Amino acid sequence: MNPEEKDTDCIFCKIASGEIPSALLYEDEDVVVFPDINPLTPVHLLVIPRKHITSLADMADEDTPIVGKMTRVANQVAREQGISENGYRLTINSGADAGQVVFHLHMHLMGGRHLAWKH
Ligand code: 5GP
Ligand code: ZN
């Protein structure tokens, strides 16, 4: 990958590169999936692009295929995790009001119990 697509201070870039060890449930040249360190649901995984994109609000036209691929990978991993049939949630928090705290684009893949919708 072009080094400019990485942020050397970003924790998710370090997980994607293996610099910080994490159990990877899926990886390919574009996308990595690993467990959230503070799971809120029985299955709580993070689906990230290897490319450092700070937030959904900052995605560019050229990133459209990668976000599509993240969704497809989430769908596959959900099946592997056995939560596809009962249902699961994919969430992207973008910016402060949504509670984004890690500024490397990620999807939360959550399931394994009934998830309330209204907050
Ligand atoms: P956000 O609020 O930005 O959408 O979610 C960030 C998520 O990343 C949180 O659910 C948090 O638990 C998770 N997280 C933060 N730091 C780490 C880390 O070092 N490793 C892993 N696996 N997850 C992390
Ligand atoms: Zn990053």
Side-chain angles (χ1 to χ4, degrees):
M1 182 190 299
N2 181 339
E4 284 166 17
E5 293 186 347
K6 272 194 190 176
D7 178 333
T8 50
D9 282 335
C10 170
I11 197 143
F12 285 1
C13 280
K14 287 180 179 171
I15 289 172
S17 71
E19 191 181 334
I20 295 178
S22 175
L24 303 183
L25 285 97
Y26 175 94
E27 66 172 319
D28 65 23
E29 67 277 19
D30 299 314
V31 177
V32 175
V33 181
F34 55 92
D36 194 293
I37 203 168
N38 180 29
L40 301 176
T41 50
V43 177
H44 186 174
L45 306 175
L46 299 172
V47 182
I48 70 166
R50 286 191 190 273
K51 179 182 176 186
H52 182 84
I53 302 167
T54 52
S55 74
L56 190 67
D58 292 326
M59 84 175 260
D61 271 351
E62 66 181 31
D63 300 324
T64 304
I66 193 77
V67 176
K69 186 169 182 183
M70 287 163 65
T71 307
R72 182 68 180 131
V73 166
N75 163 302
Q76 178 186 320
V77 173
R79 258 183 286 118
E80 290 166 3
Q81 292 288 311
I83 59 172
S84 190
E85 217 167 292
N86 281 356
Y88 57 89
R89 183 169 295 158
L90 276 186
T91 302
I92 299 176
N93 296 323
S94 186
D97 270 3
Q100 185 180 5
V101 294
V102 176
F103 285 86
H104 178 130
L105 177 65
H106 52 279
M107 287 177 177
H108 297 258
L109 168 58
M110 305 170 83
R113 65 166 166 79
H114 183 78
L115 304 171
W117 171 240
K118 293 180 181 170
H119 300 281

